Amino acid sequence: MAGYRLAFGATLAAVAVAGAYYYFSQKNKKATRESPSSQQRSSPSTPVLDQAALNKLFVKEMTTAQAAMQQGDAAAAQHFANAVRLFPKRDELLQLIKAKTSPELFQQVLQHLAASSPAR
């Protein structure tokens, strides 16, 4: 069981690093293309987190979710959902979570994501 947890943790860490690199490299490209006038028009009430802060928050949510899952804590679903919201390739992370967690936990993650999505 410890080998499974170690492999799961290593896989999630690799996905986190690769995803964070991709996300932030795309974000930097977009930021350098924007003119100063378009940056001034953006909403001042929108919080802007730097790349390191977003990556740190993603890793924290994944780590907390893994720990909660190992302890059988229902909060694991909420933490996984938070991590999915932060990850640039959400579908890929959802597939990884689906493959590595129980069907019940995965359904709870989906419920948390659906509950927080804006009404259409």
mmCIF file of all heavy atoms in Angstrom, residues 23-71:
data_model
loop_
_atom_site.group_PDB
_atom_site.id
_atom_site.type_symbol
_atom_site.label_atom_id
_atom_site.label_comp_id
_atom_site.label_asym_id
_atom_site.label_seq_id
_atom_site.Cartn_x
_atom_site.Cartn_y
_atom_site.Cartn_z
ATOM 1 N N TYR A 23 1.019 26.182 -17.824
ATOM 2 C CA TYR A 23 0.077 27.255 -17.515
ATOM 3 C C TYR A 23 0.790 28.596 -17.429
ATOM 4 O O TYR A 23 0.379 29.582 -18.030
ATOM 5 C CB TYR A 23 -0.650 26.949 -16.203
ATOM 6 C CG TYR A 23 -1.530 28.074 -15.733
ATOM 7 C CD1 TYR A 23 -2.761 28.299 -16.340
ATOM 8 C CD2 TYR A 23 -1.138 28.911 -14.702
ATOM 9 C CE1 TYR A 23 -3.581 29.325 -15.921
ATOM 10 C CE2 TYR A 23 -1.946 29.943 -14.280
ATOM 11 C CZ TYR A 23 -3.164 30.146 -14.887
ATOM 12 O OH TYR A 23 -3.970 31.173 -14.471
ATOM 13 N N PHE A 24 1.873 28.627 -16.693
ATOM 14 C CA PHE A 24 2.542 29.897 -16.478
ATOM 15 C C PHE A 24 3.312 30.369 -17.708
ATOM 16 O O PHE A 24 3.441 31.567 -17.941
ATOM 17 C CB PHE A 24 3.439 29.820 -15.255
ATOM 18 C CG PHE A 24 2.647 29.619 -13.993
ATOM 19 C CD1 PHE A 24 2.925 28.567 -13.145
ATOM 20 C CD2 PHE A 24 1.591 30.443 -13.666
ATOM 21 C CE1 PHE A 24 2.185 28.367 -11.994
ATOM 22 C CE2 PHE A 24 0.842 30.250 -12.537
ATOM 23 C CZ PHE A 24 1.141 29.209 -11.690
ATOM 24 N N SER A 25 3.799 29.452 -18.518
ATOM 25 C CA SER A 25 4.463 29.875 -19.744
ATOM 26 C C SER A 25 3.441 30.492 -20.699
ATOM 27 O O SER A 25 3.724 31.488 -21.355
ATOM 28 C CB SER A 25 5.197 28.712 -20.410
ATOM 29 O OG SER A 25 4.288 27.733 -20.865
ATOM 30 N N GLN A 26 2.232 29.925 -20.759
ATOM 31 C CA GLN A 26 1.175 30.504 -21.593
ATOM 32 C C GLN A 26 0.722 31.844 -21.039
ATOM 33 O O GLN A 26 0.473 32.790 -21.790
ATOM 34 C CB GLN A 26 -0.013 29.548 -21.684
ATOM 35 C CG GLN A 26 0.286 28.253 -22.381
ATOM 36 C CD GLN A 26 0.760 28.460 -23.798
ATOM 37 O OE1 GLN A 26 0.207 29.265 -24.532
ATOM 38 N NE2 GLN A 26 1.800 27.752 -24.186
ATOM 39 N N LYS A 27 0.627 31.952 -19.741
ATOM 40 C CA LYS A 27 0.207 33.196 -19.102
ATOM 41 C C LYS A 27 1.235 34.292 -19.373
ATOM 42 O O LYS A 27 0.869 35.434 -19.655
ATOM 43 C CB LYS A 27 0.044 32.974 -17.594
ATOM 44 C CG LYS A 27 -0.525 34.157 -16.867
ATOM 45 C CD LYS A 27 -0.749 33.817 -15.403
ATOM 46 C CE LYS A 27 -1.224 35.036 -14.655
ATOM 47 N NZ LYS A 27 -1.428 34.751 -13.253
ATOM 48 N N ASN A 28 2.510 33.966 -19.306
ATOM 49 C CA ASN A 28 3.556 34.951 -19.574
ATOM 50 C C ASN A 28 3.512 35.417 -21.015
ATOM 51 O O ASN A 28 3.705 36.598 -21.298
ATOM 52 C CB ASN A 28 4.937 34.382 -19.249
ATOM 53 C CG ASN A 28 5.221 34.385 -17.770
ATOM 54 O OD1 ASN A 28 4.588 35.111 -17.017
ATOM 55 N ND2 ASN A 28 6.154 33.566 -17.346
ATOM 56 N N LYS A 29 3.281 34.498 -21.951
ATOM 57 C CA LYS A 29 3.192 34.880 -23.355
ATOM 58 C C LYS A 29 2.041 35.858 -23.572
ATOM 59 O O LYS A 29 2.175 36.834 -24.291
ATOM 60 C CB LYS A 29 2.996 33.645 -24.235
ATOM 61 C CG LYS A 29 4.235 32.804 -24.382
ATOM 62 C CD LYS A 29 3.946 31.589 -25.240
ATOM 63 C CE LYS A 29 5.136 30.648 -25.257
ATOM 64 N NZ LYS A 29 4.841 29.437 -26.034
ATOM 65 N N LYS A 30 0.917 35.578 -22.942
ATOM 66 C CA LYS A 30 -0.250 36.440 -23.087
ATOM 67 C C LYS A 30 0.021 37.810 -22.467
ATOM 68 O O LYS A 30 -0.307 38.835 -23.047
ATOM 69 C CB LYS A 30 -1.465 35.802 -22.426
ATOM 70 C CG LYS A 30 -2.720 36.619 -22.569
ATOM 71 C CD LYS A 30 -3.901 35.944 -21.902
ATOM 72 C CE LYS A 30 -5.120 36.833 -21.985
ATOM 73 N NZ LYS A 30 -6.228 36.290 -21.247
ATOM 74 N N ALA A 31 0.652 37.850 -21.314
ATOM 75 C CA ALA A 31 0.924 39.111 -20.630
ATOM 76 C C ALA A 31 1.887 39.981 -21.428
ATOM 77 O O ALA A 31 1.734 41.206 -21.460
ATOM 78 C CB ALA A 31 1.485 38.846 -19.235
ATOM 79 N N THR A 32 2.858 39.387 -22.083
ATOM 80 C CA THR A 32 3.814 40.181 -22.845
ATOM 81 C C THR A 32 3.195 40.709 -24.129
ATOM 82 O O THR A 32 3.640 41.719 -24.654
ATOM 83 C CB THR A 32 5.081 39.369 -23.187
ATOM 84 O OG1 THR A 32 4.705 38.190 -23.891
ATOM 85 C CG2 THR A 32 5.847 39.014 -21.928
ATOM 86 N N ARG A 33 2.149 40.051 -24.644
ATOM 87 C CA ARG A 33 1.480 40.521 -25.852
ATOM 88 C C ARG A 33 0.513 41.660 -25.576
ATOM 89 O O ARG A 33 0.156 42.410 -26.464
ATOM 90 C CB ARG A 33 0.728 39.375 -26.517
ATOM 91 C CG ARG A 33 1.647 38.452 -27.276
ATOM 92 C CD ARG A 33 0.835 37.422 -28.008
ATOM 93 N NE ARG A 33 0.888 36.231 -27.155
ATOM 94 C CZ ARG A 33 0.020 35.258 -27.141
ATOM 95 N NH1 ARG A 33 -1.017 35.290 -27.912
ATOM 96 N NH2 ARG A 33 0.160 34.223 -26.337
ATOM 97 N N GLU A 34 0.029 41.788 -24.347
ATOM 98 C CA GLU A 34 -0.932 42.834 -24.029
ATOM 99 C C GLU A 34 -0.238 44.178 -23.946
ATOM 100 O O GLU A 34 0.857 44.301 -23.413
ATOM 101 C CB GLU A 34 -1.623 42.543 -22.696
ATOM 102 C CG GLU A 34 -2.555 41.365 -22.756
ATOM 103 C CD GLU A 34 -3.272 41.138 -21.436
ATOM 104 O OE1 GLU A 34 -2.959 41.837 -20.461
ATOM 105 O OE2 GLU A 34 -4.131 40.263 -21.401
ATOM 106 N N SER A 35 -0.914 45.180 -24.447
ATOM 107 C CA SER A 35 -0.357 46.532 -24.362
ATOM 108 C C SER A 35 -0.668 47.122 -22.993
ATOM 109 O O SER A 35 -1.597 46.699 -22.319
ATOM 110 C CB SER A 35 -0.953 47.407 -25.460
ATOM 111 O OG SER A 35 -2.336 47.580 -25.217
ATOM 112 N N PRO A 36 0.085 48.145 -22.573
ATOM 113 C CA PRO A 36 -0.199 48.762 -21.277
ATOM 114 C C PRO A 36 -1.616 49.325 -21.194
ATOM 115 O O PRO A 36 -2.232 49.282 -20.147
ATOM 116 C CB PRO A 36 0.835 49.881 -21.171
ATOM 117 C CG PRO A 36 1.940 49.458 -22.087
ATOM 118 C CD PRO A 36 1.276 48.678 -23.183
ATOM 119 N N SER A 37 -2.157 49.815 -22.306
ATOM 120 C CA SER A 37 -3.506 50.370 -22.266
ATOM 121 C C SER A 37 -4.547 49.297 -21.982
ATOM 122 O O SER A 37 -5.526 49.535 -21.289
ATOM 123 C CB SER A 37 -3.840 51.081 -23.578
ATOM 124 O OG SER A 37 -3.794 50.161 -24.646
ATOM 125 N N SER A 38 -4.347 48.082 -22.511
ATOM 126 C CA SER A 38 -5.304 47.008 -22.241
ATOM 127 C C SER A 38 -5.178 46.506 -20.807
ATOM 128 O O SER A 38 -6.145 46.048 -20.224
ATOM 129 C CB SER A 38 -5.131 45.858 -23.219
ATOM 130 O OG SER A 38 -3.894 45.217 -23.015
ATOM 131 N N GLN A 39 -3.987 46.612 -20.247
ATOM 132 C CA GLN A 39 -3.814 46.197 -18.853
ATOM 133 C C GLN A 39 -4.491 47.183 -17.914
ATOM 134 O O GLN A 39 -4.990 46.801 -16.865
ATOM 135 C CB GLN A 39 -2.333 46.074 -18.512
ATOM 136 C CG GLN A 39 -1.668 44.891 -19.185
ATOM 137 C CD GLN A 39 -0.178 44.813 -18.899
ATOM 138 O OE1 GLN A 39 0.391 45.704 -18.288
ATOM 139 N NE2 GLN A 39 0.443 43.755 -19.359
ATOM 140 N N GLN A 40 -4.544 48.446 -18.284
ATOM 141 C CA GLN A 40 -5.179 49.451 -17.437
ATOM 142 C C GLN A 40 -6.686 49.274 -17.418
ATOM 143 O O GLN A 40 -7.341 49.640 -16.453
ATOM 144 C CB GLN A 40 -4.830 50.849 -17.933
ATOM 145 C CG GLN A 40 -3.382 51.204 -17.723
ATOM 146 C CD GLN A 40 -3.023 52.530 -18.390
ATOM 147 O OE1 GLN A 40 -3.806 53.085 -19.143
ATOM 148 N NE2 GLN A 40 -1.839 53.016 -18.098
ATOM 149 N N ARG A 41 -7.264 48.698 -18.478
ATOM 150 C CA ARG A 41 -8.705 48.508 -18.556
ATOM 151 C C ARG A 41 -9.188 47.313 -17.744
ATOM 152 O O ARG A 41 -10.367 47.146 -17.556
ATOM 153 C CB ARG A 41 -9.130 48.319 -20.009
ATOM 154 C CG ARG A 41 -9.129 49.619 -20.777
ATOM 155 C CD ARG A 41 -9.640 49.393 -22.168
ATOM 156 N NE ARG A 41 -8.452 49.348 -23.019
ATOM 157 C CZ ARG A 41 -8.285 48.572 -24.059
ATOM 158 N NH1 ARG A 41 -9.204 47.744 -24.431
ATOM 159 N NH2 ARG A 41 -7.183 48.602 -24.765
ATOM 160 N N SER A 42 -8.293 46.459 -17.306
ATOM 161 C CA SER A 42 -8.726 45.285 -16.554
ATOM 162 C C SER A 42 -9.311 45.701 -15.212
ATOM 163 O O SER A 42 -8.984 46.736 -14.665
ATOM 164 C CB SER A 42 -7.572 44.304 -16.352
ATOM 165 O OG SER A 42 -6.600 44.884 -15.527
ATOM 166 N N SER A 43 -10.174 44.876 -14.705
ATOM 167 C CA SER A 43 -10.869 45.178 -13.464
ATOM 168 C C SER A 43 -9.904 45.213 -12.287
ATOM 169 O O SER A 43 -9.193 44.248 -12.029
ATOM 170 C CB SER A 43 -11.932 44.119 -13.221
ATOM 171 O OG SER A 43 -12.497 44.277 -11.955
ATOM 172 N N PRO A 44 -9.893 46.311 -11.539
ATOM 173 C CA PRO A 44 -8.990 46.389 -10.393
ATOM 174 C C PRO A 44 -9.442 45.519 -9.226
ATOM 175 O O PRO A 44 -8.678 45.224 -8.331
ATOM 176 C CB PRO A 44 -9.033 47.868 -10.001
ATOM 177 C CG PRO A 44 -10.326 48.373 -10.534
ATOM 178 C CD PRO A 44 -10.630 47.546 -11.757
ATOM 179 N N SER A 45 -10.709 45.065 -9.239
ATOM 180 C CA SER A 45 -11.203 44.248 -8.139
ATOM 181 C C SER A 45 -10.846 42.769 -8.303
ATOM 182 O O SER A 45 -11.041 41.988 -7.387
ATOM 183 C CB SER A 45 -12.717 44.387 -8.018
ATOM 184 O OG SER A 45 -13.330 43.890 -9.186
ATOM 185 N N THR A 46 -10.334 42.383 -9.464
ATOM 186 C CA THR A 46 -9.966 40.995 -9.696
ATOM 187 C C THR A 46 -8.608 40.713 -9.055
ATOM 188 O O THR A 46 -7.622 41.345 -9.406
ATOM 189 C CB THR A 46 -9.877 40.692 -11.204
ATOM 190 O OG1 THR A 46 -11.116 41.029 -11.802
ATOM 191 C CG2 THR A 46 -9.569 39.234 -11.447
ATOM 192 N N PRO A 47 -8.553 39.781 -8.103
ATOM 193 C CA PRO A 47 -7.259 39.495 -7.485
ATOM 194 C C PRO A 47 -6.328 38.804 -8.475
ATOM 195 O O PRO A 47 -6.753 37.936 -9.237
ATOM 196 C CB PRO A 47 -7.603 38.571 -6.313
ATOM 197 C CG PRO A 47 -8.904 37.968 -6.699
ATOM 198 C CD PRO A 47 -9.621 38.969 -7.570
ATOM 199 N N VAL A 48 -5.086 39.208 -8.462
ATOM 200 C CA VAL A 48 -4.097 38.621 -9.355
ATOM 201 C C VAL A 48 -3.031 37.942 -8.497
ATOM 202 O O VAL A 48 -2.379 38.591 -7.687
ATOM 203 C CB VAL A 48 -3.454 39.704 -10.248
ATOM 204 C CG1 VAL A 48 -2.389 39.084 -11.131
ATOM 205 C CG2 VAL A 48 -4.514 40.401 -11.072
ATOM 206 N N LEU A 49 -2.896 36.640 -8.675
ATOM 207 C CA LEU A 49 -1.872 35.889 -7.954
ATOM 208 C C LEU A 49 -0.707 35.654 -8.890
ATOM 209 O O LEU A 49 -0.894 35.400 -10.079
ATOM 210 C CB LEU A 49 -2.426 34.550 -7.483
ATOM 211 C CG LEU A 49 -3.551 34.598 -6.454
ATOM 212 C CD1 LEU A 49 -4.075 33.196 -6.185
ATOM 213 C CD2 LEU A 49 -3.082 35.237 -5.169
ATOM 214 N N ASP A 50 0.477 35.729 -8.363
ATOM 215 C CA ASP A 50 1.632 35.453 -9.209
ATOM 216 C C ASP A 50 1.764 33.943 -9.431
ATOM 217 O O ASP A 50 1.091 33.136 -8.805
ATOM 218 C CB ASP A 50 2.903 36.059 -8.633
ATOM 219 C CG ASP A 50 3.315 35.436 -7.309
ATOM 220 O OD1 ASP A 50 2.629 34.528 -6.819
ATOM 221 O OD2 ASP A 50 4.341 35.851 -6.768
ATOM 222 N N GLN A 51 2.625 33.592 -10.345
ATOM 223 C CA GLN A 51 2.783 32.194 -10.735
ATOM 224 C C GLN A 51 3.176 31.308 -9.567
ATOM 225 O O GLN A 51 2.650 30.218 -9.396
ATOM 226 C CB GLN A 51 3.840 32.091 -11.828
ATOM 227 C CG GLN A 51 3.466 32.830 -13.083
ATOM 228 C CD GLN A 51 4.611 32.875 -14.064
ATOM 229 O OE1 GLN A 51 5.663 32.309 -13.833
ATOM 230 N NE2 GLN A 51 4.406 33.558 -15.173
ATOM 231 N N ALA A 52 4.104 31.777 -8.792
ATOM 232 C CA ALA A 52 4.570 30.973 -7.659
ATOM 233 C C ALA A 52 3.447 30.734 -6.661
ATOM 234 O O ALA A 52 3.316 29.635 -6.107
ATOM 235 C CB ALA A 52 5.755 31.655 -6.983
ATOM 236 N N ALA A 53 2.616 31.746 -6.439
ATOM 237 C CA ALA A 53 1.508 31.595 -5.495
ATOM 238 C C ALA A 53 0.480 30.590 -6.002
ATOM 239 O O ALA A 53 -0.022 29.766 -5.231
ATOM 240 C CB ALA A 53 0.855 32.947 -5.238
ATOM 241 N N LEU A 54 0.162 30.644 -7.298
ATOM 242 C CA LEU A 54 -0.787 29.674 -7.858
ATOM 243 C C LEU A 54 -0.249 28.256 -7.786
ATOM 244 O O LEU A 54 -0.974 27.326 -7.441
ATOM 245 C CB LEU A 54 -1.111 30.037 -9.305
ATOM 246 C CG LEU A 54 -2.002 31.252 -9.506
ATOM 247 C CD1 LEU A 54 -2.100 31.599 -10.984
ATOM 248 C CD2 LEU A 54 -3.378 31.018 -8.924
ATOM 249 N N ASN A 55 1.023 28.096 -8.115
ATOM 250 C CA ASN A 55 1.637 26.769 -8.055
ATOM 251 C C ASN A 55 1.648 26.251 -6.618
ATOM 252 O O ASN A 55 1.323 25.081 -6.359
ATOM 253 C CB ASN A 55 3.052 26.808 -8.630
ATOM 254 C CG ASN A 55 3.642 25.438 -8.786
ATOM 255 O OD1 ASN A 55 2.938 24.471 -9.002
ATOM 256 N ND2 ASN A 55 4.947 25.347 -8.668
ATOM 257 N N LYS A 56 2.003 27.111 -5.701
ATOM 258 C CA LYS A 56 2.047 26.724 -4.286
ATOM 259 C C LYS A 56 0.655 26.322 -3.793
ATOM 260 O O LYS A 56 0.509 25.332 -3.074
ATOM 261 C CB LYS A 56 2.600 27.882 -3.461
ATOM 262 C CG LYS A 56 2.800 27.572 -2.008
ATOM 263 C CD LYS A 56 3.434 28.737 -1.278
ATOM 264 C CE LYS A 56 3.641 28.426 0.179
ATOM 265 N NZ LYS A 56 4.253 29.552 0.900
ATOM 266 N N LEU A 57 -0.359 27.073 -4.196
ATOM 267 C CA LEU A 57 -1.722 26.757 -3.781
ATOM 268 C C LEU A 57 -2.180 25.427 -4.372
ATOM 269 O O LEU A 57 -2.799 24.610 -3.692
ATOM 270 C CB LEU A 57 -2.673 27.881 -4.203
ATOM 271 C CG LEU A 57 -4.126 27.736 -3.784
ATOM 272 C CD1 LEU A 57 -4.261 27.584 -2.266
ATOM 273 C CD2 LEU A 57 -4.928 28.930 -4.276
ATOM 274 N N PHE A 58 -1.843 25.181 -5.650
ATOM 275 C CA PHE A 58 -2.203 23.909 -6.277
ATOM 276 C C PHE A 58 -1.560 22.743 -5.538
ATOM 277 O O PHE A 58 -2.224 21.752 -5.214
ATOM 278 C CB PHE A 58 -1.780 23.904 -7.755
ATOM 279 C CG PHE A 58 -1.930 22.559 -8.397
ATOM 280 C CD1 PHE A 58 -3.172 22.109 -8.794
ATOM 281 C CD2 PHE A 58 -0.841 21.727 -8.582
ATOM 282 C CE1 PHE A 58 -3.325 20.853 -9.376
ATOM 283 C CE2 PHE A 58 -0.975 20.481 -9.163
ATOM 284 C CZ PHE A 58 -2.232 20.044 -9.556
ATOM 285 N N VAL A 59 -0.270 22.843 -5.279
ATOM 286 C CA VAL A 59 0.449 21.766 -4.594
ATOM 287 C C VAL A 59 -0.125 21.559 -3.191
ATOM 288 O O VAL A 59 -0.310 20.423 -2.748
ATOM 289 C CB VAL A 59 1.958 22.054 -4.553
ATOM 290 C CG1 VAL A 59 2.687 21.068 -3.664
ATOM 291 C CG2 VAL A 59 2.545 22.027 -5.962
ATOM 292 N N LYS A 60 -0.463 22.652 -2.509
ATOM 293 C CA LYS A 60 -1.048 22.547 -1.166
ATOM 294 C C LYS A 60 -2.386 21.809 -1.212
ATOM 295 O O LYS A 60 -2.649 20.926 -0.385
ATOM 296 C CB LYS A 60 -1.248 23.946 -0.568
ATOM 297 C CG LYS A 60 -1.904 23.921 0.782
ATOM 298 C CD LYS A 60 -2.170 25.319 1.295
ATOM 299 C CE LYS A 60 -2.952 25.246 2.586
ATOM 300 N NZ LYS A 60 -3.605 26.498 2.903
ATOM 301 N N GLU A 61 -3.233 22.151 -2.183
ATOM 302 C CA GLU A 61 -4.539 21.486 -2.294
ATOM 303 C C GLU A 61 -4.379 20.003 -2.604
ATOM 304 O O GLU A 61 -5.081 19.167 -2.046
ATOM 305 C CB GLU A 61 -5.404 22.169 -3.351
ATOM 306 C CG GLU A 61 -5.916 23.535 -2.940
ATOM 307 C CD GLU A 61 -6.868 23.504 -1.766
ATOM 308 O OE1 GLU A 61 -7.590 22.513 -1.562
ATOM 309 O OE2 GLU A 61 -6.906 24.506 -1.030
ATOM 310 N N MET A 62 -3.461 19.669 -3.504
ATOM 311 C CA MET A 62 -3.243 18.262 -3.845
ATOM 312 C C MET A 62 -2.693 17.490 -2.644
ATOM 313 O O MET A 62 -3.124 16.372 -2.370
ATOM 314 C CB MET A 62 -2.297 18.133 -5.039
ATOM 315 C CG MET A 62 -2.925 18.533 -6.354
ATOM 316 S SD MET A 62 -4.399 17.599 -6.805
ATOM 317 C CE MET A 62 -3.694 15.997 -7.142
ATOM 318 N N THR A 63 -1.752 18.074 -1.942
ATOM 319 C CA THR A 63 -1.162 17.418 -0.777
ATOM 320 C C THR A 63 -2.210 17.202 0.314
ATOM 321 O O THR A 63 -2.301 16.128 0.907
ATOM 322 C CB THR A 63 0.010 18.260 -0.237
ATOM 323 O OG1 THR A 63 0.950 18.471 -1.290
ATOM 324 C CG2 THR A 63 0.681 17.591 0.940
ATOM 325 N N THR A 64 -3.013 18.235 0.550
ATOM 326 C CA THR A 64 -4.070 18.139 1.566
ATOM 327 C C THR A 64 -5.107 17.092 1.153
ATOM 328 O O THR A 64 -5.576 16.313 1.992
ATOM 329 C CB THR A 64 -4.740 19.510 1.772
ATOM 330 O OG1 THR A 64 -3.739 20.474 2.095
ATOM 331 C CG2 THR A 64 -5.765 19.469 2.887
ATOM 332 N N ALA A 65 -5.444 17.058 -0.135
ATOM 333 C CA ALA A 65 -6.415 16.075 -0.619
ATOM 334 C C ALA A 65 -5.894 14.659 -0.440
ATOM 335 O O ALA A 65 -6.632 13.764 -0.009
ATOM 336 C CB ALA A 65 -6.732 16.341 -2.090
ATOM 337 N N GLN A 66 -4.620 14.443 -0.765
ATOM 338 C CA GLN A 66 -4.034 13.105 -0.613
ATOM 339 C C GLN A 66 -4.035 12.673 0.846
ATOM 340 O O GLN A 66 -4.380 11.532 1.166
ATOM 341 C CB GLN A 66 -2.611 13.084 -1.154
ATOM 342 C CG GLN A 66 -2.529 13.168 -2.648
ATOM 343 C CD GLN A 66 -1.098 13.265 -3.122
ATOM 344 O OE1 GLN A 66 -0.232 13.810 -2.447
ATOM 345 N NE2 GLN A 66 -0.844 12.724 -4.292
ATOM 346 N N ALA A 67 -3.648 13.586 1.739
ATOM 347 C CA ALA A 67 -3.617 13.254 3.163
ATOM 348 C C ALA A 67 -5.023 12.940 3.674
ATOM 349 O O ALA A 67 -5.222 11.974 4.417
ATOM 350 C CB ALA A 67 -2.995 14.404 3.958
ATOM 351 N N ALA A 68 -5.991 13.742 3.257
ATOM 352 C CA ALA A 68 -7.373 13.515 3.688
ATOM 353 C C ALA A 68 -7.902 12.190 3.140
ATOM 354 O O ALA A 68 -8.604 11.453 3.837
ATOM 355 C CB ALA A 68 -8.259 14.675 3.232
ATOM 356 N N MET A 69 -7.544 11.872 1.889
ATOM 357 C CA MET A 69 -7.985 10.619 1.280
ATOM 358 C C MET A 69 -7.410 9.427 2.040
ATOM 359 O O MET A 69 -8.107 8.447 2.299
ATOM 360 C CB MET A 69 -7.546 10.566 -0.183
ATOM 361 C CG MET A 69 -7.992 9.309 -0.915
ATOM 362 S SD MET A 69 -7.474 9.256 -2.629
ATOM 363 C CE MET A 69 -5.712 9.021 -2.465
ATOM 364 N N GLN A 70 -6.148 9.498 2.408
ATOM 365 C CA GLN A 70 -5.512 8.400 3.128
ATOM 366 C C GLN A 70 -6.144 8.181 4.498
ATOM 367 O O GLN A 70 -6.161 7.070 5.003
ATOM 368 C CB GLN A 70 -4.018 8.656 3.269
ATOM 369 C CG GLN A 70 -3.280 8.551 1.956
ATOM 370 C CD GLN A 70 -1.826 8.968 2.065
ATOM 371 O OE1 GLN A 70 -1.374 9.439 3.105
ATOM 372 N NE2 GLN A 70 -1.086 8.813 0.982
ATOM 373 N N GLN A 71 -6.664 9.256 5.091
ATOM 374 C CA GLN A 71 -7.296 9.160 6.405
ATOM 375 C C GLN A 71 -8.795 8.875 6.307
ATOM 376 O O GLN A 71 -9.464 8.758 7.320
ATOM 377 C CB GLN A 71 -7.071 10.449 7.194
ATOM 378 C CG GLN A 71 -5.621 10.713 7.505
ATOM 379 C CD GLN A 71 -5.398 12.072 8.146
ATOM 380 O OE1 GLN A 71 -6.326 12.854 8.325
ATOM 381 N NE2 GLN A 71 -4.158 12.350 8.499
#
